Amino acid sequence: MPFDEWLATLTRPSKTQNLAAAGRLKVAVRRLATEGHELRRPTSAPLRDGIHELRVEVRNINFRVLYFFAGSGVAVLAHGCTKEGNVEKADVERAVARRLAYEANPTAHTAPPLQERQFTAGRSIMASRKQADGPRNDAEAVFDRLFGDSDGWEERVAAATDAVLLAEEVYALRERHGLSLRALAKLIDSSQSAIARMEDATYRGHSISVLHLIAAAVGEQVVVRFMATTETRKRKGPAPKKRLKSRSFS
């Protein structure tokens, strides 16, 4: 299904896992806009014929966005699908067909910027485009339009961002050192399944002590730091005191 049509189906309130999936998909799209061709597992994986997939799993349901690159600065989201297993051949073929159509006539097969439409379905969405005035990410705007009023939306996106970045870091460390899941697990006296969970962007049980064990085992170190948000950077003077609420999301 074309990406924007498929994303709109996730707003159905009867499927509670869809909001969690949407938050994680927004983070995956943001990572794609930031990393481009360098984005790797667990967030992205190559398929065939220039088609790649963004990978999100919620409660054993796979949410996939198929995309392709148009030059060095553009990623085009062509197709979305929800599967219990792997992406089917027919889904990849639809994405390939949309890539060919886009390459033949990019203007005709690109949805206009969000501010210029009510909601235009059936055409490709830009995940990133480098322009003179900076990167453009139409897809993030579509996510916020569809889900921005949902309870806890920003918190979900923030939590998903942390989980995705940690999963990518563990996976990248293991790849740098040429280690299998089993080999890394053996180095820290753990299990293969435990390492696999840490490379899963849905995992919420990361332990700083385990991260230190992994780093020490391969001669690296963990760096933790606090960074000001956009809001605090703009504010002058000390932050106001407020009680923090603890919330968890599936």
Side-chain angles (χ1 to χ4, degrees):
M1 184 180 294
F3 169 73
D4 51 358
E5 289 183 10
W6 172 76
L7 190 64
T9 68
L10 302 188
T11 61
R12 296 171 183 170
S14 58
K15 297 183 178 180
T16 56
Q17 77 268 29
N18 287 355
L19 186 59
R24 294 170 192 171
L25 284 167
K26 179 180 177 180
V27 173
V29 167
R30 183 179 291 166
R31 295 291 295 148
L32 174 59
T34 302
E35 299 299 321
H37 291 268
E38 300 303 315
L39 189 63
R40 298 288 187 271
R41 287 178 179 269
T43 305
S44 173
L47 295 175
R48 64 174 175 85
D49 295 326
I51 303 300
H52 305 254
E53 63 173 356
L54 294 177
R55 305 158 53 86
V56 164
E57 178 183 341
V58 178
R59 299 178 188 175
N60 298 318
I61 300 296
N62 296 320
F63 297 81
R64 299 291 188 257
V65 175
L66 277 54
Y67 68 94
F68 58 87
F69 291 103
S72 61
V74 178
V76 183
L77 310 183
H79 184 76
C81 53
T82 307
K83 306 289 181 183
E84 292 186 359
N86 294 327
V87 173
E88 297 174 0
K89 180 180 179 181
D91 291 302
V92 180
E93 289 175 346
R94 291 187 187 99
V96 170
R98 290 177 186 137
R99 176 179 65 80
L100 295 174
Y102 176 89
E103 290 172 350
N105 191 339
T107 302
H109 295 280
T110 301
L114 191 64
Q115 64 268 25
E116 297 177 10
R117 60 189 168 127
Q118 291 299 313
F119 194 86
T120 303
R123 288 188 281 177
S124 299
I125 302 290
M126 297 291 186
S128 64
R129 183 164 72 188
K130 294 180 180 178
Q131 298 176 307
D133 56 351
R136 162 183 159 189
N137 192 333
D138 294 340
E140 282 203 51
V142 175
F143 277 99
D144 290 337
R145 178 190 175 107
L146 291 172
F147 304 100
D149 292 334
S150 303
D151 182 47
W153 171 245
E154 292 299 331
E155 290 91 339
R156 287 180 185 275
V157 172
T161 300
D162 293 341
V164 166
L165 292 176
L166 270 172
E168 288 181 0
E169 284 291 332
V170 176
Y171 180 87
L173 177 144
R174 186 169 61 79
E175 289 289 297
R176 279 197 303 276
H177 294 276
L179 296 170
S180 66
L181 290 168
R182 179 176 296 180
L184 180 56
K186 187 176 181 179
L187 284 177
I188 65 168
D189 194 24
S190 184
S191 66
Q192 180 176 328
S193 60
I195 302 299
R197 283 195 299 273
M198 296 186 70
E199 294 181 4
D200 184 343
T202 66
Y203 185 57
R204 294 291 187 270
H206 294 93
S207 163
I208 190 67
S209 60
V210 174
L211 293 175
H212 278 294
L213 280 176
I214 291 174
V218 296
E220 296 194 18
Q221 63 180 342
V222 177
V223 177
V224 179
R225 59 177 178 166
F226 295 99
M227 298 180 65
T229 64
T230 302
E231 178 185 349
T232 56
R233 284 195 295 268
K234 292 180 179 179
R235 184 174 55 226
K236 295 181 179 180
K241 295 181 179 180
K242 61 180 179 179
R243 184 181 298 276
L244 298 179
K245 296 181 180 179
S246 176
R247 303 185 67 171
S248 61
F249 301 98
S250 61

